[in-house]
Amino acid sequence: MHGKQTAAELGKRLGITGEAARQQLNRLAAEGQVRADSTPAGVGRPRQQWSLTPEAQSAFPDTHASLTVQILESVRSLLGDEALDRIIDQREQDTRILYEAAMSGHTSLRDRVAALAELRSAEGYMAAWEEAEDGSLLLIENHCPICAAASLCQGFCRTELALFRSLLGPGVTVERAEHIIEGARRCAYIIKEA
């Protein structure tokens, strides 16, 4: 709210010493939450002014989920379910193109599932995979960054499953075993070579 500030200025605002504020700022800098910029201050050492990094924004309230739901509701009410389905289908096509490019060169099913888990994690799904005793693979998504949208419109979940099936190829079955929308702790997919 106050922009760049020195450790002394922050300490005063927080009711602590400038040195105590500096220690906390150094810890936050090590975590990538703040950064210091040096500015000339006349004679002597430059002043260090601290500011938040883009990574620190996640610590503040974010209403993107409610905005997404509002937009989807508006699309549905103004343009109808068909328009909403077209938007979801386009998202699936765009994602397929990106994933196919990232997964090219991965030939074994294990490698493709590992690459898919990595892609999903990069998008915030906190994905992992493991091999079961029967040789099947389990793709696990421990978080759903689009849960608010998916709760409103199951089309997102439908296209996600279709996307996985398409990416992993013919001769592979993909079945959803757990589903956050249905009250599970996570989404999980059982993947087997047919």
Side-chain angles (χ1 to χ4, degrees):
M1 289 173 36
H2 302 287
K4 291 182 179 183
Q5 296 198 11
T6 66
E9 292 167 336
L10 286 169
K12 186 176 181 181
R13 285 188 184 282
L14 297 171
I16 60 176
T17 66
E19 184 55 33
R22 189 179 312 11
Q23 289 174 4
Q24 294 300 317
L25 288 165
N26 284 327
R27 183 185 58 77
L28 290 169
E31 294 172 3
Q33 301 293 309
V34 298
R35 71 170 170 258
D37 296 314
S38 295
T39 56
V43 178
R45 308 193 322 203
R47 288 176 42 174
Q48 277 197 320
Q49 292 189 305
W50 296 86
S51 61
L52 295 174
T53 64
E55 291 79 17
Q57 296 305 316
S58 64
F60 297 96
D62 188 345
T63 61
H64 73 276
S66 61
L67 174 63
T68 300
V69 168
Q70 288 175 337
I71 290 170
L72 293 173
E73 287 173 339
S74 295
V75 167
R76 180 178 276 156
S77 68
L78 293 172
L79 305 173
D81 286 330
E82 184 180 314
L84 186 55
D85 287 342
R86 288 180 60 209
I87 290 169
I88 292 168
D89 290 344
Q90 183 64 51
R91 178 181 182 271
E92 178 190 2
Q93 289 173 27
D94 294 344
T95 302
R96 178 178 285 111
I97 291 166
L98 291 172
Y99 283 17
E100 283 174 348
M103 292 174 68
S104 69
H106 296 283
T107 55
S108 75
L109 181 58
R110 273 193 191 115
D111 286 348
R112 292 195 317 266
V113 172
L116 181 58
E118 190 175 312
L119 289 164
R120 300 296 282 178
S121 284
E123 292 181 353
Y125 288 88
M126 296 173 58
W129 71 281
E130 57 191 48
E131 187 169 357
E133 287 182 21
D134 66 358
S136 65
L137 303 176
L138 188 65
L139 175 65
I140 302 160
E141 295 178 339
N142 291 294
H143 176 68
C144 180
I146 64 163
C147 198
S151 295
L152 175 73
C153 182
Q154 290 288 305
F156 288 105
C157 297
R158 173 185 45 79
T159 60
E160 179 179 73
L161 186 56
L163 175 65
F164 294 168
R165 288 175 174 156
S166 170
L167 288 168
L168 297 175
V172 175
T173 62
V174 181
E175 298 301 326
R176 186 181 286 121
E178 298 176 53
H179 198 192
I180 292 172
I181 299 299
E182 294 176 0
R185 180 188 67 77
R186 62 190 188 176
C187 287
Y189 302 86
I190 298 170
I191 301 165
K192 297 180 185 178
E193 291 190 271

